[in-house]
């Protein structure tokens, strides 16, 4: 017969075993979670390093392209350059350079990675910081892209040094004390696109239109830089004043391999693309636009590098703006996401 004292000891022992078991399970789960978190942090750090390496690989490619151009006398940039086209990469998007994992082993549990790099010249975009300079041409383009002359005037008033707004663009906003928070125009160059999102009225634009505007405009170009006719999009050609037919003819011509190689022969090359009627010399004066706004070189590039891993599944994206000059490469902006 078990005594009361022995029974009490047994009950206490069972409770201690139960408590210890619960603690062991809790500690095991905690350690398992910590191991997974540590593994994720290590993988994310590896992905960040891979994405950063992608930017450096792109910079090396830009430097090699510049060296090749100098050696063979090539003074133009086009969409067939090594920085712009990678037909051996993604069949669905030949503008993406894919750097695969060259050290893949046979372990099915091992993590796999790849780096996807995209490079685009900024000279294919409308230079927002030049908006107060070229006058009505760039103002008209910004109005078309934003779908609002008032917003274009607000952007211009944020850039120029005039206060109050320029009489020719009285729709603009220099200040708005009733806004929350109160708004005061910067009256200086835009350093990042996000500054535009704080302008009065910008919040009312559909997000899709803001995204399209961002893809077609740049804040990183020198004021006197010219649009590259070899890379500019048809949408921007129409926005600055070209007819839709002219813009599409130039794009088709480029897709067939035509290159605008010399800034002094832009007009005859474009007229050969357009056809019998050639470029318009009236309103719109397409010849005048071509000669005053366009060149054939690109010096500033946006590099987007994305590292992808499958175990754990994650992506890290980095974006850099690089300027290429005879003195070397200069990083103008860097963003990690």
């Amino acid at each position: 017969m078990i005594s009361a004292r022995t029974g009490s000891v047994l009950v206490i022992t069972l409770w201690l075993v139960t408590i210890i078991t619960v603690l062991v399970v809790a500690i095991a789960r905690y350690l398992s979670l910590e191991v997974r978190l540590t593994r994720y942090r290590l993988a994310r750090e590896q992905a960040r390093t891979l994405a950063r390496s992608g930017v450096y690989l792109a910079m090396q490619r830009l430097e090699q392209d510049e060296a090749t151009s100098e050696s063979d006398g090539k003074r133009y940039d086009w969409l067939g350059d090594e920085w712009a086209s990678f037909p051996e990469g993604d069949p669905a998007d030949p503008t993406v350079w894919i750097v695969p994992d060259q050290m893949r082993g046979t372990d099915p549990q091992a993590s796999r990675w790849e780096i996807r790099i995209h490079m685009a010249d900024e000279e294919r975009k409308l230079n927002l910081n030049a908006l107060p300079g070229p006058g009505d041409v760039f103002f008209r383009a910004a109005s078309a892209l934003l779908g609002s002359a008032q917003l274009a005037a607000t952007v211009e008033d944020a850039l120029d040094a005039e206060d109050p707004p320029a009489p020719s663009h009285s729709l603009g906003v220099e200040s708005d004390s009733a806004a929350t928070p109160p708004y005061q125009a910067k009256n200086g160059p835009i350093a990042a696109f996000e500054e535009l999102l704080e302008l009065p009225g910008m919040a009312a634009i559909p997000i899709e239109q803001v995204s399209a505007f961002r893809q077609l405009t740049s804040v990183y170009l020198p004021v006197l830089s010219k649009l590259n006719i070899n890379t500019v999009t048809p949408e921007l050609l129409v926005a600055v004043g070209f007819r839709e037919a002219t813009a599409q003819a130039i794009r088709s011509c480029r897709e067939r391999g035509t290159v605008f190689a010399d800034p002094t022969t832009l007009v005859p090359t474009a007229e050969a693309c357009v056809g019998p009627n050639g470029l318009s010399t009236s309103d719109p004066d397409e010849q005048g636009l071509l000669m005053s706004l366009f060149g054939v070189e690109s010096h500033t590039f946006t590099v987007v590098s994305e590292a992808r891993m499958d175990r754990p599944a994650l992506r890290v994206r980095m974006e850099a703006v690089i300027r290429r000059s005879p003195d070397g490469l200069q990083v103008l902006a860097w963003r990690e996401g």
Side-chain angles (χ1 to χ4, degrees):
M1 179 179 294
I2 300 176
S3 66
R5 182 176 181 179
T6 304
S8 298
V9 171
L10 180 59
V11 170
I12 293 172
T13 302
L14 290 174
W15 272 109
L16 288 174
V17 170
T18 302
I19 293 172
I20 291 172
T21 302
V22 171
L23 288 174
V24 168
V25 171
I27 292 172
R29 288 186 175 179
Y30 173 77
L31 292 176
S32 175
L33 177 61
E34 285 297 310
V35 168
R36 290 198 298 270
L37 287 174
T38 301
R39 187 176 300 161
Y40 178 82
R41 292 190 190 103
L42 288 173
R44 183 166 180 81
E45 190 58 36
Q46 181 184 6
R48 284 167 56 87
T49 302
L50 289 169
R52 193 176 295 115
S53 299
V55 175
Y56 295 144
L57 286 172
M59 293 173 67
Q60 182 183 46
R61 197 154 190 153
L62 288 172
E63 208 163 25
Q64 290 173 345
D65 179 72
E66 177 71 8
T68 302
S69 297
E70 289 179 356
S71 64
D72 63 13
K74 172 178 167 288
R75 299 310 307 166
Y76 61 86
D77 297 279
W78 68 303
L79 295 177
D81 279 335
E82 287 192 358
W83 58 263
S85 179
F86 312 94
E88 73 282 0
D90 187 349
D93 187 358
T95 67
V96 174
W97 176 17
I98 299 178
V99 181
D101 184 355
Q102 300 291 347
M103 302 298 292
R104 291 185 177 182
T106 58
D107 183 3
Q109 299 302 318
S111 178
R112 304 291 193 268
W113 60 262
E114 71 174 15
I115 309 172
R116 300 174 70 89
I117 306 168
H118 182 269
M119 289 184 274
D121 63 316
E122 292 291 293
E123 279 80 4
R124 73 178 66 189
K125 304 175 183 179
L126 181 72
N127 185 2
L128 286 181
N129 283 322
L131 194 59
D136 290 338
V137 175
F138 274 20
F139 181 79
R140 179 176 60 220
S143 300
L145 296 177
L146 287 168
S148 167
Q150 180 170 353
L151 276 177
T154 300
V155 173
E156 185 181 52
D157 283 327
L159 288 162
D160 64 27
E162 298 181 24
D163 189 7
S168 58
H169 296 152
S170 57
L171 292 174
V173 178
E174 282 288 343
S175 62
D176 186 358
S177 58
T180 306
Y183 169 76
Q184 180 64 46
K186 182 179 182 180
N187 295 132
I190 300 170
F193 184 85
E194 284 74 14
E195 292 182 27
L196 296 176
L197 302 181
E198 303 300 323
L199 297 181
M202 190 65 73
I205 301 181
I207 188 64
E208 298 82 5
Q209 189 169 356
V210 173
S211 179
F213 183 70
R214 183 170 192 164
Q215 293 299 317
L216 293 171
T217 58
S218 174
V219 298
Y220 301 110
L221 295 170
V223 173
L224 298 179
S225 65
K226 291 193 172 185
L227 292 161
N228 188 341
I229 190 62
N230 287 310
T231 60
V232 68
T233 63
E235 293 84 356
L236 194 52
L237 285 173
V238 173
V240 298
F242 286 85
R243 295 169 297 176
E244 178 71 29
T246 301
Q248 294 301 330
I250 290 175
R251 181 179 69 171
S252 298
C253 206
R254 293 188 322 206
E255 290 175 348
R256 293 193 299 269
T258 296
V259 178
F260 292 79
D262 188 337
T264 64
T265 60
L266 294 183
V267 170
T269 304
E271 288 186 330
C273 292
V274 174
N277 295 327
L279 297 174
S280 170
T281 56
S282 57
D283 188 19
D285 181 5
E286 294 176 328
Q287 285 193 12
L289 290 173
L290 193 60
M291 290 186 292
S292 61
L293 299 180
F294 290 86
V296 299
E297 296 183 47
S298 296
H299 303 284
T300 309
F301 301 83
T302 296
V303 176
V304 177
S305 174
E306 183 181 77
R308 300 182 177 184
M309 302 186 69
D310 61 357
R311 289 187 180 89
L314 57 84
R315 299 182 181 185
V316 173
R317 185 177 186 270
M318 292 192 181
E319 182 176 327
V321 180
I322 313 296
R323 180 165 297 158
R324 187 174 61 181
S325 71
D327 297 328
L329 300 180
Q330 177 187 4
V331 178
L332 302 181
W334 186 288
R335 178 177 305 176
E336 301 187 9

